[in-house]
Amino acid sequence: MHMPTRIAGVLTGLALALGGAALVAPAAHADVTACINQVERELQGGEAPDSVRMACYVGLTGDQAQCVSGLTAGGVTNGTAVSACRVAPE
């Protein structure tokens, strides 16, 4: 009798945890994606390397200076780096 109740509780907890993660994750992903997309436009269709992705994630935390530094170290122009890092934390 206790086993079905326990299983239902575990499944409910799992559904709530996964549902909460799904609600939070897309917003963060979209911001990083906007940053990466700006850099990829400068690369004219080339895919952004991992260093660009990491710099955009840093920009997501709000550290604009480190984001710009990471992007320019990866070969992105300063103007594109500044605008890409500006959209990351939005």
Side-chain angles (χ1 to χ4, degrees):
M1 190 71 136
H2 294 292
M3 189 59 89
T5 304
R6 184 176 295 167
I7 291 172
V10 168
L11 290 176
T12 300
L14 182 61
L16 289 173
L18 293 175
L23 291 174
V24 173
H29 179 71
D31 298 333
V32 171
T33 301
C35 175
I36 293 168
N37 286 342
Q38 284 209 8
V39 173
E40 286 180 342
R41 269 179 264 171
E42 180 178 302
L43 298 175
Q44 297 177 355
E47 187 174 334
D50 288 339
S51 61
V52 167
R53 295 176 189 282
M54 290 305 297
C56 285
Y57 277 109
V58 169
L60 181 65
T61 67
D63 190 348
Q64 299 298 303
Q66 191 65 31
C67 176
V68 171
S69 175
L71 289 178
T72 55
V76 177
T77 63
N78 189 61
T80 298
V82 168
S83 63
C85 291
R86 192 175 299 134
V87 299
E90 290 181 353

